[in-house]
Amino acid sequence: MVGIVSYAAYLPRYRLNRMTIFSAMGWLNQALIMNAAGEKAVAAFDEDAVTMAAAAGKRCLHGFKPDEVEALYFATTTSPFKERQCANIIAGALCIPEEIRSADFGGALKAGGSALLAALEFSSANEGRQALTCAADCRLGKAGSLQEMFFGDGAAALLVGGEKPIALFKGAYSLSCDFVDQLRGAETIYNRQWEDRWIRDMGYEKLIPEVVTGLCRRHGLKPSDFAKVIYPCSYGGGRRNIERKLGLAPEQVENDLLQVSGDTGTAHPLLMFSRAFEEASPGDKLLLVSYGNGCDALYFEVTPQIESFKDRKRFSDTLGQHAELDNYTKYLTWRGMIPVELGLRGEEEQVTRWSMTWRSRKAILGLQGSRCNKCGTQQYPPQRVCVNPGCGAIDEMEPLSLSNRGGKIVSYTSDMLAATINPPAIYGNVDFNGGGRAMFEFADCTLEDLQVGGEVEFTFRIKYYDPKRDITFYFWKAVPATTEKEVS
Amino acid sequence: MAAGIRDKVAILGMGCTVFGEHWELDSSDLLIEAFGECMADAGIEKKDIQAAWIGNHIDEVNIGKGGCYLASTLHLPFIPVTRVENFCASGTEAFRGACYAVASGACEIALAAGVEKLKDVGYGGLPDSPIFGQLLRYITPNATAPGLFAQLATAYAAKHKMPMEKVKEAITHISWKSHQNGVKNPRAHLRRAVSEDQICSSPFVAYPLGLYDCCGVSDGAAMAIVTTPEIARRLQPDREPVLVKALQIAVSSGEEAAYHGWDGAGIMTTQAAAKRAYEEAGIDKPREELDLMEVHDCFSITEMVTMEDLAISPPGGAPDDILSGFYDLDGALPCQSDGGLKCFGHPIGASGLRMIFEIYSQLLQRWPAERQVKNARLGLTHNLGGVPHQNVCSVAILGL
């Protein structure tokens, strides 16, 4: 029998207090005050659904082997590409081999649940081989909208397989219908919703009880059998009604994280699910429900394996990197919602030459370097001629993944001249632990976080966005260890 | 070691435009102006020039590729003309081509030119372009020259366990000195004295470098005509020829960028080129033997670490030397007597030849007393192209 083998959440470092939004936009819509409690997680200027999914995937695979993963499914409604599979970008970042099945799931907010279901079915049909599901979203509401208040950015990842599952997959039940409560057209950036009461009363309050009841009926269960029911719904009144309808006790319901992260779209049920694992006990029945144009309900039973699972705080750990983004216009700038002046330097062409990046895809996506068989020197980018001045061996290299290796700062600066929507550009030379050196941009930090000799970890980020061709290009950055608490 | 070119090449004449914001002049105008001065100084005719090299960095907004621009601007009569590019060291690279031609006997008289028009870029600083190739653009930071050089300061302070305040004090004095010297130089781009307070409190461009730690971005051209010492003595019997004592170039091996041996607090190519240049020139004690220097102070911190890389100041000792006035115009070893890149300006392709022009003019005692280095007989130029972890460094030594 297959089940969940590993889990992890990823919330970006920056949080926007909802009162900051209200202070800036309350003049437009005073009713926003009713939803101005708590804060939402905000992707940094160099993050999107792909990078957040990769970050969650990296944490999820900690202690597992990327080359044992045989499928990768990515769920999002905010893909940076209509045509180009993001699952493969994520697989590349995680150094998962190319001999895998991959797919992007999207369209509906319930796609996170659908992707997880597909992964479980893949594993079940393939002798318990491992499949990774990553879900992430970075949805936008217009300035001063309720969506802007509710939506947060985040990701979750679940590794499924047959070996040592911490929770067995016991069954599923799905509902799919063209129930349109919110949508985005193919060319639309901002989420559009029909009336609130419609969404709450006819959407969440009707479909979620229906899918839960259907699953219980199919498997001979009652809602009260579950230790935790995990479902997304940002309406407080709606949640109360759902719980009343299903007869759920308060301790049976997983926190909706609205005050912590906001609604992270396709990732949200999986994010909540990762939190549920932190406290789950063997024998607990967990019910995961995703919502959007229908529902997927997945039923799990926690195994004794959970007791020996290391680093169980794979949700809470992401909260430790918290930093407040106290500037609403900076948020708008990061999200591309207001044009800002980058100067003429910011207009220089950045051409993405795909044949070139393909040849170096492992170095670019996977931060793969090389290690000399003669002298053992690590090097990045991968070299054919050993860079060690005392060696110089030719074609004696073996590939080496450096993304989990960490490093130390050799030199650094904070550059006000470089064109970026998040000045200053902070970067410097980094020595990889174990040898070798490269220069990296530093992410999620300020100049004060840096010192020569300081430890860094590596994180997959947006390298640049080419607005002329609508191309997002990814590479790795270094995060000072003071702000990145890596799961260890 | 090979014999080198010591005393095999003499400078017959030189020219250098005023560096600055020449909104009304093209590269061709600048070249023609430098050429006129250079030819008058050399006392030869155009038909005497047997080969030419032109150093220029940013071809896209400037003179284009190839040697045609120089040849067709000056209407050089079907002689070999080569455009060379080696980052900010392109000017010295052109000089090297001409010197090698003469030293080898391939030519008797050769021209080296350098030109750059940066004020057609549209913004301050150098244009953002893939100077290390497109692939590295995908994996290296969104960086600028000040940010890449600024890292010398953080690495230097850490290496020598020196407070950043001390580093900042020393580099402030460097910029102050260049401004003092620039005031006296009518060809310099920036001719305004600024106080150390103004320099030190200027807004950060890239930590810890402020605005006044960065050199000017200018338009300009410089030129040299070289020949054999014998021809020079014959054509110019009334002057002691300025001879090339050494001309060395060192290029990064990739070790600085990708191997963990480099401390980031100095420039390895400078160390290598200087060592070879001193050997070629027969210099044992550069601190005592050299009379003046023009170094590549693209940023004040570059000049500071260069004092150690050239083995003038001891390791960790540059700040004290700088603050003691050792490198001031009236110090023991004046450095940047013309204002340097900081104040003379930095039209990239021309800068290496501008440095040589200053040493040449000083050795010939051509400047007014207020800026003439007395009894100068041996001078050094240091022309660095690229960035600390990946660069081209040329060191030339000129003497009587």
Side-chain angles (χ1 to χ4, degrees), chain B residues 24-347:
Chain B
E24 304 284 353
L25 300 179
D26 278 323
S27 292
S28 57
D29 297 315
L30 294 163
L31 285 167
I32 290 164
E33 192 178 319
F35 186 65
E37 185 184 12
C38 187
M39 292 295 281
D41 185 28
I44 59 166
E45 292 174 46
K46 191 159 77 178
K47 66 176 173 52
D48 299 328
I49 300 168
Q50 293 159 2
W53 279 260
I54 169 111
N56 166 258
H57 176 50
I58 301 159
D59 54 301
E60 299 92 331
V61 291
N62 204 306
I63 69 167
K65 298 184 194 301
C68 292
Y69 190 94
L70 180 69
S72 52
T73 295
L74 302 178
H75 302 302
L76 299 174
F78 300 100
I79 61 168
V81 181
T82 306
R83 173 179 175 270
V84 292
E85 194 289 313
N86 232 344
F87 306 135
C88 298
S90 299
T92 309
E93 193 63 59
F95 186 70
R96 191 167 74 123
C99 287
Y100 278 15
V102 167
S104 71
C107 297
E108 290 182 321
I109 295 178
L111 174 74
V115 69
E116 206 82 39
K117 242 205 96 60
L118 287 172
K119 300 318 294 182
D120 286 339
V121 168
Y123 51 87
L126 300 183
D128 185 35
S129 66
I131 62 166
F132 296 115
Q134 182 66 44
L135 183 61
L136 282 184
R137 294 270 278 188
Y138 301 131
I139 60 172
T140 50
N142 172 24
T144 66
L148 293 164
F149 279 92
Q151 292 175 57
L152 288 167
T154 49
Y156 184 93
K159 178 186 177 183
H160 296 291
K161 298 186 170 53
M162 192 180 285
M164 189 57 85
E165 292 72 25
K166 171 89 179 270
V167 174
K168 189 77 181 167
E169 200 186 342
I171 62 179
T172 295
H173 186 83
I174 285 172
S175 294
W176 173 85
K177 164 174 68 72
S178 290
H179 275 272
Q180 291 291 311
N181 296 347
V183 168
K184 301 186 181 87
N185 187 349
R187 301 191 197 219
H189 180 174
L190 303 169
R191 301 194 62 205
R192 188 164 66 87
V194 288
S195 70
E196 291 188 316
D197 275 354
Q198 272 177 293
I199 294 167
C200 197
S201 60
S202 64
F204 281 126
V205 173
Y207 174 83
L209 304 181
L211 184 63
Y212 285 102
D213 291 302
C214 308
C215 73
V217 174
S218 329
D219 304 328
M223 231 170 260
I225 287 170
V226 293
T227 187
T228 64
E230 297 72 32
I231 294 171
R233 287 192 183 96
R234 194 176 74 229
L235 294 177
Q236 298 170 337
D238 52 341
R239 69 157 101 143
E240 198 179 356
V242 173
L243 301 176
V244 177
K245 298 291 181 183
L247 183 44
Q248 292 291 334
I249 293 195
V251 179
S252 288
S253 67
E255 181 183 336
E256 306 100 299
Y259 189 63
H260 45 271
W262 177 53
D263 58 24
I267 310 253
M268 291 178 82
T269 54
T270 301
Q271 296 158 13
K275 185 167 180 287
R276 290 204 292 263
Y278 295 148
E279 281 171 17
E280 185 175 19
I283 292 174
D284 299 321
K285 295 177 180 163
R287 188 181 172 101
E288 285 80 36
E289 293 177 51
L290 290 169
D291 297 315
L292 79 163
M293 302 192 294
E294 283 293 321
V295 303
H296 200 90
D297 59 328
C298 49
F299 302 95
S300 55
I301 187 66
T302 322
E303 180 171 332
M304 191 186 97
V305 302
T306 298
M307 296 304 103
E308 295 179 18
D309 292 335
L310 291 174
I312 310 293
S313 292
D320 286 337
D321 274 343
I322 290 158
L323 291 167
S324 76
F326 185 82
Y327 299 110
D328 291 0
L329 189 58
D330 58 359
L333 179 47
C335 185
Q336 320 302 73
S337 53
D338 63 358
L341 299 171
K342 173 73 194 77
C343 291
F344 203 120
H346 187 21

